[in-house]
Each structure stands twice: as structure tokens, then as C-alpha cells.
Amino acid sequence: MQSRLDERFTAAREEGRSLLVGYLPAGYPTVDGAIAAMRAMVAAGVDVVEVGLPYSDPTMDGPVIQDAADAALRGGVTTADVLRTVEAVAATGAPTVVMTYWNPIDRYGPARFAADLAAAGGSGAITPDLPPEEAAPWLAASAEHGLDPVFLVAPSSSDARIRLVTGISRGFVYAASLMGVTGARVAVGTQAADLVARVRATTELPVAVGLGVSTGAQAAEVAAFADGVIVGSALVKVLVDAQRSGAGEAAALDGLGRLAAELAEGVRAPVSASA
Amino acid sequence: MFPDPGGHFGRFGGRFVPEALMAALDELTEAYDQARADEGFVAELDGLLATYAGRPTPLTDAHRLTEHVGGARILLKREDLAHTGSHKINNVLGQCLLARRMGKTRVIAETGAGQHGVATATACALLGLECVVYMGEEDTRRQALNVARMRLLGAEVVPVTAGSRTLKDAINEAMRDWVATVEHTHYCIGSVMGPHPFPMMVRDFQRIIGVEARAQVLDRTGRLPDAVVACVGGGSNAMGIFHPFIPDTGVALIGCEAGGDGVATGRHAAAIAGGSAGVLHGMRTFLLQDEFGQTQVSHSISAGLDYPGIGPEHALLHETGRASYRVVDDAAAMAALALVARTEGILVAIESAHAFAGAFDVARELGPDATIVVNCSGRGDKDVDTAARWFGLLDDAGGADAAADPRG
């Protein structure tokens, strides 16, 4: 059976474009503020939403997402709030996945989390610090509730490890474009295209590329070789900057919508990278 | 034999890290397996431990302390006499030799009290490696002297301003560095924690403490001790002295966790007594966390024990019952520090003072016919300021004011 993610990626392939995947953390600046921001993103052209679960020890995140997650936790965001956020965003029709470090799911109980995520209309979860070797409970829970478990590959992954990861992923495979933490980069790593090619050699699954993409031009470059373009820190930064400068919610959502629209244009106009 | 090939100690341990680090952990595991089977590597490490670090460290009969406590005969394994003032040197010499063998030119480390940072800076100076130490900003203030020591040794010290600005955040920052620099950088983790192979490898490098202590006690008393007592933060000095005694089922292994203001107050660092099973810093273990799986901030007067987790092999030893874990609060540890100083003329680290406080109870429980070994894991020079404030020993007005807040 095709999942909502499968359907979207198939449709995008037929349109000859890539999907735009947008990340924002739940609870930032408030739970309702984050929901409004995610809906604004979807309205401006984001195809798939990653709802971040703020975590106390985000070892894979750069300063922008760290700051937002920290503020969300100080604001008292809980796992239940994350699920409420998923429900509100999935209601727009955009496939919605949770992006989370493993311990909050471990603590909630993998089976219970899968059940509640599915009930909220979620499509699956991306679990970057859960390697295939430790994933059995989550794979079972996801399968039972029709969720897509998404795992990551990195430029350092051997071909054998890529096969291991693509063998258990559903929905899409998340290819980290470079060796490093989340955050905007001047240029998207040249390693990304090679990595996507190595992933394609092992699977028919769509491949989405994340880490470092912040502009429409970069999105267009990545769209030339990937099925999905994932943008996180650049979108979060719009909200963080608005908070810091004291701009109102309307101005923040406006800025977020402009960036999302620029990125959406990029994934519809793939261009091969210039030298 | 633990761990299994995936790094599991029963249901604990493993590897919970981003895919980007898996290749490096595989490379490290393979390099370590080859190195420990290589006579040349083992001989070089043994040589450095003997001629540079000052091993074997002595076993001291604590006559006056034994008499004062009024229980079992107390023997001290003197890791405080090792170069750089604690057991940390055993691990860093091993890991830095391994880093050099792997062709890495840069070493990064986290540090809480600064003991592991100083030891890493020392080994890097000795072996000509670039060294960067991450330290929570809060700890750089608490342990300013150790920051200066590391800088004198040529290391770059990076104060970490994220999160709670303590050891756990220094580890987060070191992991962020490592994922971007792994090609030429080795992450020298300072305790029996983190993703496989670190808990196993650090234990193996610290095992020398227990190997020596076991032979020394047999030589001194003609029999095995009744108990071995050590303090536990991440737990490397404890794992090092416990491990060779694990098959000796008649020897009680007792770890002392940092109780801070007391477990009941919620302000403590006792992962076993006051925590629950979960995942942190790449391993499954016991940790301080809330109902949502968010890590809770730990509290201890000892910066070196101020960590919300514990090494996964300790979690296993606790579950199987092979080791037992007690809680020692700030006040008991500081009282023990003062007593050891006055009866034995040894100023121990506040970390180690937790082991002594626990050992006094054990000594009284076991009685005068018994013998116990206390791991004196580090010296207390770094803690003189904290201790002086705690006991109100400073003569100036600043000291009197500060006595109300021993954490400075």
C-alpha cells in the first residue's frame, strides 16, 4: 500500500520536480505559534513538514536549532504538544513527519508513540541517532501503525551501511549532504550528489537531501539530483530573528512565507551546479 | 564476556549516534582491536605508564584512618600519585597513542573538573598532537586553575555556553566538532561512557588500576580484599579497579554516586539511585531524565561527578547485582575529605572523597577482621578553593562571604 509520502514523491516525479521538505521545531515561539508557522510554510509551497521534537541535548544541531529548541523547552513544550502540532499540520493535507532524537520516543514508549503519531495523522518519523542496529522496536511499531520510518545516510557511510539503511527505510531516505551539524552553509557539499548516486544504486526509494540548504538557488541545485530538498535552519532562523528583533507574528510568518516560496520555486526549476 | 560485538552490556550500551559517526566508530573499533593485539603498541603504552605516568602507583595502608573509623583495615590505591594527579592519564595515554597510530593529528576532549582535560593536554603535548578541550562555561569558572594548566600545556580550551554550561554540554559540543572533523580528529572520551567502543576501550585502559591493586593486596595481606570501593560519575576509575575483581565473587564491589544535596531534594548526580534507563550521549544506560525523556541537570559539589548519566557497564553490574551502588552527599564527602587530610596527610580530590565517605560505612559494616581497598582516584589541589570556602578557612572578608556558597 502506498503511504502519503509515497504518493507525494510519485506525483512530484511525474511533474518533473523535487519535493520541498520544511523543518520547524514544535513549541517555538509557542505551540500555537509553531503551528501557525508550519501552516504558513505549507501555504507558501512546502510539500512535506518535519515537526521537530525539541530535546535537551541536540548533539546533531547547530546554534540556530539549538537556540529554538532550548527556548521551546523553557516554554514547557511536551511530547503531547508535539503530537498536537502534528495533528494540526497534517490537517492541511501535507504529509507530516516527526524529527526527533531517540530518547523522547524511548521514554514515551515506541509502541505508544507510534500509535499516537498515527492517530494524529502523522506519516512517520525521522530518527537521526537511532542506527539500524538498534531500530528493531521502532520498525515493528512503525509497521504496525502504517508509519514510514526514515533513516539517514552520510558521506562517510560505506556502501554496505547504505544498503543496511535503505533496506529498513520507508517513505524516503535522508541523505546528509555533508559531515557536520545542521545550519546554513555558503555552498551545499559536493559530496551530496555522489552520495545520492550511491543510495540510488541500492534502492528505488526517493532520496531527500538535507543539511546546509538555505536559498532558492541552492534548492534548485539539489533538486537536479535529489527527489527531495530538506530545509531546516534557514527557516528556523527567520523565526529566531523575528523573535530577537521584536517583529510581530505577522511579520515573522510573512518572512517565513517568502523564504518558503523562494525555495518552492527552486525545487521546481532544477539546475545543474555551476563549476 | 561483555560487551557483545555491538557494544552491549546486557540491555545497556550500544551505539546511538548519527550515521555520520558510524564509520569512525567502526574504524576506531578495528584500530583498537589491532593495537591491543600488537606487542609493539602494548610495549609502548606500558613503557609510558612506567617511565612517564609513574606506574605502578602504591597501595598505602591507612593506619590512622583505619583506627579513627574503627572498622575494617583500609588500604588506599594511590591514583592521586599518577602524573597529572589522577587516574585519567592511564586512559589518555592509551587513546592518544591509538590516535597517532590511526594517523589522526588532532585530539578533542570534554572535561568537567578539568582532570581529563589536563591529562589529554598532557598526552597531546608529549605526543605532538593538536589538542582542543571543551569545557562548560560554568566549569571554566569553578576550575579556573585547570583552564590555565591546559593552556600552559598548549591546548585550546573552548568554554561551552550552550544548555546548562556543564559537562554534559561540553560532551554535546565535542560531538558536534567530531562529526565535522572526524577525518583527522580523534575524540578522546574521558570515561567509560559514550557509544561503543568507548566504554570497553576506556575500561581496558583503566583496568591497570585493578590489576595492580589485586596483586598488591594479595602481596600485602595474603588474601583478596573483602570490598573495593570507588566513586562513580561516568565511572572510569571505578570500572578500572572493579574489572579485574569481577570473577572474584567474594569481593564486594561498591560504587559511590554523588548525592549533591541529597537524592530526595532532586539536586543530585546519582544516575542509578535517582535515575531511570534511557539513551544519552550514544549509550543506553541509567540517567537523570524527566517524564518526557529530557535530560535533567545534575548537581554535585564535585565537578567531576556532576554528570546525569553513568557508564553502561555499571548499569549492568547494578542490574546483575555484581556491584552495588550507594549515594554520598556533598556534606559527607567534604567531611571525609577533611578526615583523610588530617589522619593521613593526603588531600584527596572531592570526587575521591565520595569513595572515602562510602568506604567508612563499609568498613564499619564489615568490622575489624575485614580489608577494604579504596580507590584514591585523584589529588585535591584543584579543590583547595572549594574546600576552603566550604570550611570557611579563608581569612579575608571575601572568604567569609563565600563560605555561605561553597560552589563559588
Side-chain angles (χ1 to χ4, degrees), chain B residues 188-244:
Chain B
C188 182
I189 291 186
S191 193
V192 286
M193 51 150 292
H196 179 64
F198 286 103
M200 168 185 78
M201 181 171 71
V202 176
R203 173 200 73 194
D204 291 350
F205 286 139
Q206 293 294 2
R207 231 179 147 263
I208 184 79
I209 306 171
V211 169
E212 288 176 6
R214 193 175 181 283
Q216 288 166 324
V217 178
L218 281 174
D219 184 54
R220 187 81 50 90
T221 70
R223 62 184 188 88
L224 288 169
D226 297 280
V228 176
V229 186
C231 67
V232 185
S236 70
N237 89 81
M239 212 52 242
I241 197 167
F242 286 177
H243 197 256

Short mmCIF file of all heavy atoms in Angstrom, two decimals, chain B residues 188-244:
data_model
loop_
_atom_site.label_atom_id
_atom_site.label_comp_id
_atom_site.label_asym_id
_atom_site.label_seq_id
_atom_site.Cartn_x
_atom_site.Cartn_y
_atom_site.Cartn_z
N CYS B 188 38.73 11.94 22.25
CA CYS B 188 39.26 11.19 23.40
C CYS B 188 38.27 11.33 24.57
O CYS B 188 38.38 12.25 25.38
CB CYS B 188 40.63 11.75 23.78
SG CYS B 188 41.43 10.89 25.15
N ILE B 189 37.30 10.42 24.62
CA ILE B 189 36.30 10.46 25.69
C ILE B 189 36.96 10.07 27.01
O ILE B 189 37.77 9.15 27.05
CB ILE B 189 35.10 9.55 25.35
CG1 ILE B 189 34.31 10.14 24.18
CG2 ILE B 189 34.19 9.37 26.57
CD1 ILE B 189 33.03 9.41 23.84
N GLY B 190 36.60 10.77 28.08
CA GLY B 190 37.32 10.63 29.35
C GLY B 190 36.78 9.62 30.32
O GLY B 190 37.36 9.42 31.38
N SER B 191 35.66 8.98 29.98
CA SER B 191 35.15 8.00 30.93
C SER B 191 34.60 6.78 30.20
O SER B 191 34.64 6.72 28.97
CB SER B 191 34.05 8.63 31.80
OG SER B 191 33.78 7.77 32.90
N VAL B 192 34.09 5.82 30.97
CA VAL B 192 33.59 4.56 30.38
C VAL B 192 32.17 4.78 29.86
O VAL B 192 31.24 4.10 30.24
CB VAL B 192 33.62 3.41 31.41
CG1 VAL B 192 35.03 2.95 31.63
CG2 VAL B 192 32.98 3.84 32.74
N MET B 193 32.03 5.77 28.99
CA MET B 193 30.71 6.17 28.51
C MET B 193 30.78 6.47 27.02
O MET B 193 31.83 6.38 26.42
CB MET B 193 30.27 7.42 29.27
CG MET B 193 31.33 8.51 29.26
SD MET B 193 30.64 10.15 29.34
CE MET B 193 29.84 10.27 27.76
N GLY B 194 29.61 6.83 26.47
CA GLY B 194 29.54 7.13 25.06
C GLY B 194 29.24 5.88 24.24
O GLY B 194 28.95 4.81 24.79
N PRO B 195 29.29 6.01 22.91
CA PRO B 195 29.00 4.87 22.04
C PRO B 195 30.14 3.87 22.04
O PRO B 195 31.30 4.22 22.27
CB PRO B 195 28.84 5.53 20.67
CG PRO B 195 29.71 6.75 20.74
CD PRO B 195 29.59 7.24 22.16
N HIS B 196 29.82 2.59 21.74
CA HIS B 196 30.84 1.57 21.55
C HIS B 196 31.83 2.04 20.49
O HIS B 196 31.39 2.59 19.49
CB HIS B 196 30.15 0.27 21.11
CG HIS B 196 31.08 -0.86 20.86
ND1 HIS B 196 31.84 -1.43 21.85
CD2 HIS B 196 31.40 -1.52 19.71
CE1 HIS B 196 32.56 -2.42 21.33
NE2 HIS B 196 32.32 -2.49 20.04
N PRO B 197 33.15 1.91 20.64
CA PRO B 197 33.84 1.08 21.63
C PRO B 197 34.30 1.82 22.89
O PRO B 197 35.05 1.22 23.68
CB PRO B 197 35.07 0.60 20.85
CG PRO B 197 35.44 1.79 20.03
CD PRO B 197 34.11 2.40 19.62
N PHE B 198 33.88 3.07 23.11
CA PHE B 198 34.48 3.82 24.21
C PHE B 198 34.33 3.16 25.59
O PHE B 198 35.31 3.08 26.33
CB PHE B 198 33.96 5.26 24.22
CG PHE B 198 34.53 6.10 23.11
CD1 PHE B 198 33.80 6.40 21.99
CD2 PHE B 198 35.84 6.57 23.20
CE1 PHE B 198 34.35 7.17 20.96
CE2 PHE B 198 36.39 7.34 22.18
CZ PHE B 198 35.64 7.64 21.06
N PRO B 199 33.13 2.71 25.98
CA PRO B 199 33.03 2.14 27.34
C PRO B 199 33.98 0.95 27.55
O PRO B 199 34.56 0.79 28.63
CB PRO B 199 31.56 1.71 27.44
CG PRO B 199 30.85 2.61 26.47
CD PRO B 199 31.81 2.77 25.32
N MET B 200 34.14 0.14 26.51
CA MET B 200 35.03 -1.01 26.61
C MET B 200 36.50 -0.57 26.59
O MET B 200 37.31 -1.01 27.41
CB MET B 200 34.77 -1.95 25.42
CG MET B 200 35.80 -3.04 25.23
SD MET B 200 35.51 -4.01 23.72
CE MET B 200 36.14 -2.90 22.44
N MET B 201 36.82 0.31 25.67
CA MET B 201 38.21 0.72 25.49
C MET B 201 38.74 1.49 26.71
O MET B 201 39.85 1.23 27.18
CB MET B 201 38.31 1.58 24.22
CG MET B 201 39.70 2.06 23.90
SD MET B 201 39.75 2.85 22.27
CE MET B 201 38.87 4.36 22.61
N VAL B 202 37.93 2.41 27.21
CA VAL B 202 38.37 3.19 28.37
C VAL B 202 38.51 2.26 29.59
O VAL B 202 39.45 2.38 30.37
CB VAL B 202 37.41 4.36 28.65
CG1 VAL B 202 37.82 5.11 29.91
CG2 VAL B 202 37.37 5.31 27.45
N ARG B 203 37.59 1.33 29.74
CA ARG B 203 37.70 0.34 30.82
C ARG B 203 39.02 -0.44 30.71
O ARG B 203 39.74 -0.59 31.68
CB ARG B 203 36.53 -0.65 30.74
CG ARG B 203 36.66 -1.81 31.72
CD ARG B 203 35.78 -2.99 31.29
NE ARG B 203 36.33 -3.69 30.12
CZ ARG B 203 35.65 -4.55 29.39
NH1 ARG B 203 34.38 -4.80 29.66
NH2 ARG B 203 36.22 -5.17 28.37
N ASP B 204 39.32 -0.88 29.49
CA ASP B 204 40.54 -1.67 29.30
C ASP B 204 41.79 -0.84 29.66
O ASP B 204 42.71 -1.37 30.28
CB ASP B 204 40.66 -2.14 27.85
CG ASP B 204 39.61 -3.19 27.49
OD1 ASP B 204 38.92 -3.69 28.41
OD2 ASP B 204 39.49 -3.50 26.29
N PHE B 205 41.80 0.44 29.27
CA PHE B 205 42.96 1.27 29.59
C PHE B 205 43.03 1.57 31.10
O PHE B 205 44.11 1.82 31.63
CB PHE B 205 42.92 2.59 28.80
CG PHE B 205 43.26 2.44 27.34
CD1 PHE B 205 42.55 3.14 26.36
CD2 PHE B 205 44.29 1.61 26.92
CE1 PHE B 205 42.86 3.01 25.01
CE2 PHE B 205 44.61 1.47 25.57
CZ PHE B 205 43.90 2.17 24.61
N GLN B 206 41.90 1.55 31.79
CA GLN B 206 41.90 1.82 33.23
C GLN B 206 42.03 0.56 34.08
O GLN B 206 42.25 0.64 35.29
CB GLN B 206 40.61 2.56 33.64
CG GLN B 206 40.47 3.97 33.10
CD GLN B 206 41.50 4.94 33.67
OE1 GLN B 206 42.38 4.57 34.46
NE2 GLN B 206 41.41 6.19 33.26
N ARG B 207 41.94 -0.60 33.44
CA ARG B 207 41.98 -1.87 34.13
C ARG B 207 43.27 -2.06 34.94
O ARG B 207 43.31 -2.80 35.92
CB ARG B 207 41.92 -2.97 33.06
CG ARG B 207 40.91 -4.00 33.30
CD ARG B 207 40.92 -5.03 32.19
NE ARG B 207 40.57 -6.29 32.81
CZ ARG B 207 41.45 -7.18 33.20
NH1 ARG B 207 42.72 -7.00 32.98
NH2 ARG B 207 41.04 -8.27 33.81
N ILE B 208 44.32 -1.37 34.49
CA ILE B 208 45.62 -1.47 35.15
C ILE B 208 45.51 -1.15 36.64
O ILE B 208 46.24 -1.70 37.46
CB ILE B 208 46.64 -0.52 34.45
CG1 ILE B 208 48.04 -0.64 35.02
CG2 ILE B 208 46.19 0.94 34.52
CD1 ILE B 208 48.78 -1.83 34.52
N ILE B 209 44.56 -0.28 37.01
CA ILE B 209 44.38 0.08 38.42
C ILE B 209 44.03 -1.17 39.23
O ILE B 209 44.64 -1.46 40.27
CB ILE B 209 43.25 1.13 38.61
CG1 ILE B 209 43.46 2.36 37.74
CG2 ILE B 209 43.13 1.52 40.08
CD1 ILE B 209 42.25 3.31 37.74
N GLY B 210 43.07 -1.92 38.74
CA GLY B 210 42.62 -3.10 39.44
C GLY B 210 43.63 -4.25 39.38
O GLY B 210 43.79 -4.99 40.35
N VAL B 211 44.29 -4.36 38.24
CA VAL B 211 45.30 -5.42 38.10
C VAL B 211 46.40 -5.21 39.14
O VAL B 211 46.79 -6.15 39.85
CB VAL B 211 45.88 -5.42 36.67
CG1 VAL B 211 47.11 -6.33 36.57
CG2 VAL B 211 44.81 -5.85 35.67
N GLU B 212 46.88 -3.97 39.23
CA GLU B 212 47.92 -3.67 40.23
C GLU B 212 47.39 -3.85 41.65
O GLU B 212 48.04 -4.48 42.49
CB GLU B 212 48.40 -2.22 40.08
CG GLU B 212 49.26 -1.96 38.85
CD GLU B 212 49.63 -0.49 38.70
OE1 GLU B 212 49.30 0.32 39.62
OE2 GLU B 212 50.22 -0.13 37.67
N ALA B 213 46.21 -3.31 41.92
CA ALA B 213 45.66 -3.34 43.27
C ALA B 213 45.47 -4.78 43.75
O ALA B 213 45.79 -5.12 44.90
CB ALA B 213 44.34 -2.58 43.34
N ARG B 214 44.97 -5.63 42.86
CA ARG B 214 44.72 -7.02 43.23
C ARG B 214 46.01 -7.72 43.65
O ARG B 214 46.07 -8.39 44.68
CB ARG B 214 44.06 -7.74 42.04
CG ARG B 214 43.47 -9.09 42.38
CD ARG B 214 42.73 -9.68 41.17
NE ARG B 214 42.12 -10.96 41.49
CZ ARG B 214 42.81 -12.09 41.58
NH1 ARG B 214 44.11 -12.10 41.36
NH2 ARG B 214 42.18 -13.22 41.90
N ALA B 215 47.06 -7.52 42.84
CA ALA B 215 48.36 -8.15 43.16
C ALA B 215 48.95 -7.54 44.43
O ALA B 215 49.53 -8.26 45.27
CB ALA B 215 49.32 -7.97 41.98
N GLN B 216 48.80 -6.24 44.59
CA GLN B 216 49.37 -5.57 45.76
C GLN B 216 48.69 -6.01 47.06
O GLN B 216 49.35 -6.20 48.08
CB GLN B 216 49.27 -4.04 45.60
CG GLN B 216 50.25 -3.48 44.56
CD GLN B 216 49.91 -2.04 44.16
OE1 GLN B 216 48.75 -1.65 44.08
NE2 GLN B 216 50.95 -1.25 43.90
N VAL B 217 47.37 -6.16 47.00
CA VAL B 217 46.65 -6.59 48.21
C VAL B 217 47.03 -8.02 48.57
O VAL B 217 47.29 -8.34 49.74
CB VAL B 217 45.12 -6.50 48.03
CG1 VAL B 217 44.41 -7.00 49.28
CG2 VAL B 217 44.69 -5.09 47.73
N LEU B 218 47.10 -8.89 47.57
CA LEU B 218 47.50 -10.28 47.81
C LEU B 218 48.89 -10.32 48.44
O LEU B 218 49.14 -11.05 49.40
CB LEU B 218 47.48 -11.08 46.50
CG LEU B 218 46.11 -11.54 46.01
CD1 LEU B 218 46.24 -12.18 44.62
CD2 LEU B 218 45.49 -12.54 46.99
N ASP B 219 49.78 -9.50 47.91
CA ASP B 219 51.15 -9.46 48.40
C ASP B 219 51.20 -8.93 49.83
O ASP B 219 51.92 -9.46 50.68
CB ASP B 219 51.97 -8.56 47.46
CG ASP B 219 53.43 -8.55 47.85
OD1 ASP B 219 54.01 -9.65 47.95
OD2 ASP B 219 53.98 -7.45 48.07
N ARG B 220 50.41 -7.91 50.11
CA ARG B 220 50.43 -7.25 51.42
C ARG B 220 49.75 -8.07 52.49
O ARG B 220 50.19 -8.12 53.64
CB ARG B 220 49.75 -5.88 51.30
CG ARG B 220 49.83 -4.97 52.53
CD ARG B 220 51.15 -4.22 52.65
NE ARG B 220 51.53 -3.55 51.41
CZ ARG B 220 51.19 -2.29 51.09
NH1 ARG B 220 50.49 -1.57 51.92
NH2 ARG B 220 51.59 -1.77 49.95
N THR B 221 48.59 -8.67 52.15
CA THR B 221 47.76 -9.31 53.19
C THR B 221 47.64 -10.82 53.02
O THR B 221 47.10 -11.49 53.89
CB THR B 221 46.32 -8.73 53.17
OG1 THR B 221 45.66 -9.19 51.98
CG2 THR B 221 46.34 -7.21 53.21
N GLY B 222 48.08 -11.32 51.88
CA GLY B 222 47.99 -12.77 51.66
C GLY B 222 46.61 -13.24 51.22
O GLY B 222 46.38 -14.43 51.06
N ARG B 223 45.69 -12.31 51.04
CA ARG B 223 44.37 -12.72 50.55
C ARG B 223 43.69 -11.57 49.80
O ARG B 223 44.20 -10.43 49.82
CB ARG B 223 43.48 -13.19 51.71
CG ARG B 223 43.20 -12.12 52.74
CD ARG B 223 42.39 -12.68 53.91
NE ARG B 223 41.95 -11.63 54.82
CZ ARG B 223 40.82 -10.95 54.68
NH1 ARG B 223 40.00 -11.21 53.68
NH2 ARG B 223 40.48 -10.00 55.54
N LEU B 224 42.58 -11.90 49.19
CA LEU B 224 41.85 -10.86 48.47
C LEU B 224 41.12 -9.96 49.47
O LEU B 224 40.80 -10.38 50.57
CB LEU B 224 40.82 -11.50 47.51
CG LEU B 224 41.41 -12.19 46.28
CD1 LEU B 224 40.35 -13.00 45.55
CD2 LEU B 224 42.04 -11.16 45.33
N PRO B 225 40.84 -8.71 49.08
CA PRO B 225 40.10 -7.83 49.98
C PRO B 225 38.64 -8.27 50.07
O PRO B 225 38.16 -9.02 49.23
CB PRO B 225 40.22 -6.46 49.29
CG PRO B 225 40.36 -6.78 47.85
CD PRO B 225 41.14 -8.07 47.78
N ASP B 226 37.96 -7.77 51.09
CA ASP B 226 36.54 -8.08 51.22
C ASP B 226 35.68 -7.12 50.39
O ASP B 226 34.57 -7.46 50.00
CB ASP B 226 36.13 -7.99 52.69
CG ASP B 226 36.88 -9.02 53.50
OD1 ASP B 226 36.46 -10.20 53.47
OD2 ASP B 226 37.92 -8.68 54.10
N ALA B 227 36.21 -5.94 50.17
CA ALA B 227 35.44 -4.97 49.37
C ALA B 227 36.39 -4.01 48.66
O ALA B 227 37.48 -3.71 49.14
CB ALA B 227 34.48 -4.19 50.26
N VAL B 228 35.94 -3.53 47.50
CA VAL B 228 36.64 -2.48 46.74
C VAL B 228 35.65 -1.34 46.56
O VAL B 228 34.52 -1.57 46.12
CB VAL B 228 37.12 -3.00 45.37
CG1 VAL B 228 37.76 -1.88 44.56
CG2 VAL B 228 38.10 -4.16 45.55
N VAL B 229 36.08 -0.14 46.93
CA VAL B 229 35.15 1.00 46.92
C VAL B 229 35.72 2.11 46.02
O VAL B 229 36.91 2.43 46.10
CB VAL B 229 34.95 1.54 48.35
CG1 VAL B 229 33.87 2.63 48.35
CG2 VAL B 229 34.58 0.43 49.31
N ALA B 230 34.86 2.69 45.17
CA ALA B 230 35.30 3.77 44.27
C ALA B 230 34.15 4.73 44.04
O ALA B 230 32.98 4.37 44.15
CB ALA B 230 35.76 3.18 42.93
N CYS B 231 34.49 5.97 43.69
CA CYS B 231 33.45 6.93 43.34
C CYS B 231 33.04 6.71 41.88
O CYS B 231 33.81 6.19 41.08
CB CYS B 231 33.93 8.37 43.55
SG CYS B 231 35.26 8.88 42.44
N VAL B 232 31.81 7.12 41.55
CA VAL B 232 31.28 6.91 40.21
C VAL B 232 30.58 8.16 39.69
O VAL B 232 29.60 8.61 40.27
CB VAL B 232 30.26 5.74 40.17
CG1 VAL B 232 29.83 5.47 38.74
CG2 VAL B 232 30.82 4.50 40.80
N GLY B 233 31.14 8.73 38.62
CA GLY B 233 30.42 9.76 37.88
C GLY B 233 30.04 9.07 36.58
O GLY B 233 29.05 8.35 36.49
N GLY B 234 30.88 9.21 35.55
CA GLY B 234 30.80 8.33 34.38
C GLY B 234 31.24 6.94 34.80
O GLY B 234 30.70 5.93 34.39
N GLY B 235 32.29 6.92 35.65
CA GLY B 235 32.67 5.66 36.29
C GLY B 235 33.94 5.00 35.81
O GLY B 235 34.08 3.79 35.93
N SER B 236 34.92 5.78 35.32
CA SER B 236 36.11 5.11 34.77
C SER B 236 37.07 4.62 35.84
O SER B 236 37.66 3.55 35.70
CB SER B 236 36.83 6.00 33.76
OG SER B 236 37.48 7.10 34.37
N ASN B 237 37.24 5.38 36.93
CA ASN B 237 38.17 4.86 37.96
C ASN B 237 37.56 3.63 38.62
O ASN B 237 38.26 2.67 38.93
CB ASN B 237 38.56 5.97 38.94
CG ASN B 237 37.64 6.11 40.13
OD1 ASN B 237 37.76 5.35 41.09
ND2 ASN B 237 36.71 7.05 40.09
N ALA B 238 36.23 3.65 38.81
CA ALA B 238 35.55 2.52 39.43
C ALA B 238 35.62 1.29 38.52
O ALA B 238 35.96 0.19 38.95
CB ALA B 238 34.10 2.88 39.72
N MET B 239 35.33 1.50 37.21
CA MET B 239 35.35 0.36 36.29
C MET B 239 36.76 -0.21 36.20
O MET B 239 36.95 -1.42 36.13
CB MET B 239 34.89 0.84 34.91
CG MET B 239 34.15 -0.17 34.09
SD MET B 239 32.76 -0.94 34.94
CE MET B 239 33.36 -2.63 34.92
N GLY B 240 37.76 0.68 36.25
CA GLY B 240 39.15 0.24 36.16
C GLY B 240 39.57 -0.61 37.33
O GLY B 240 40.26 -1.62 37.16
N ILE B 241 39.15 -0.22 38.53
CA ILE B 241 39.56 -1.02 39.70
C ILE B 241 38.65 -2.22 39.91
O ILE B 241 39.08 -3.27 40.39
CB ILE B 241 39.68 -0.15 40.99
CG1 ILE B 241 40.51 -0.89 42.05
CG2 ILE B 241 38.31 0.26 41.52
CD1 ILE B 241 40.95 -0.01 43.21
N PHE B 242 37.37 -2.10 39.50
CA PHE B 242 36.44 -3.24 39.68
C PHE B 242 36.76 -4.41 38.74
O PHE B 242 36.67 -5.56 39.14
CB PHE B 242 34.99 -2.81 39.36
CG PHE B 242 34.30 -1.95 40.39
CD1 PHE B 242 33.00 -1.48 40.14
CD2 PHE B 242 34.91 -1.62 41.59
CE1 PHE B 242 32.34 -0.69 41.07
CE2 PHE B 242 34.26 -0.82 42.53
CZ PHE B 242 32.97 -0.36 42.26
N HIS B 243 37.07 -4.09 37.50
CA HIS B 243 37.00 -5.11 36.45
C HIS B 243 37.82 -6.38 36.74
O HIS B 243 37.29 -7.49 36.60
CB HIS B 243 37.38 -4.50 35.09
CG HIS B 243 36.95 -5.35 33.94
ND1 HIS B 243 37.83 -6.12 33.21
CD2 HIS B 243 35.73 -5.59 33.41
CE1 HIS B 243 37.17 -6.78 32.28
NE2 HIS B 243 35.89 -6.47 32.38
N PRO B 244 39.09 -6.24 37.19
CA PRO B 244 39.84 -7.47 37.45
C PRO B 244 39.30 -8.27 38.63
O PRO B 244 39.65 -9.44 38.80
CB PRO B 244 41.26 -6.95 37.74
CG PRO B 244 41.31 -5.61 37.10
CD PRO B 244 39.93 -5.05 37.27
#
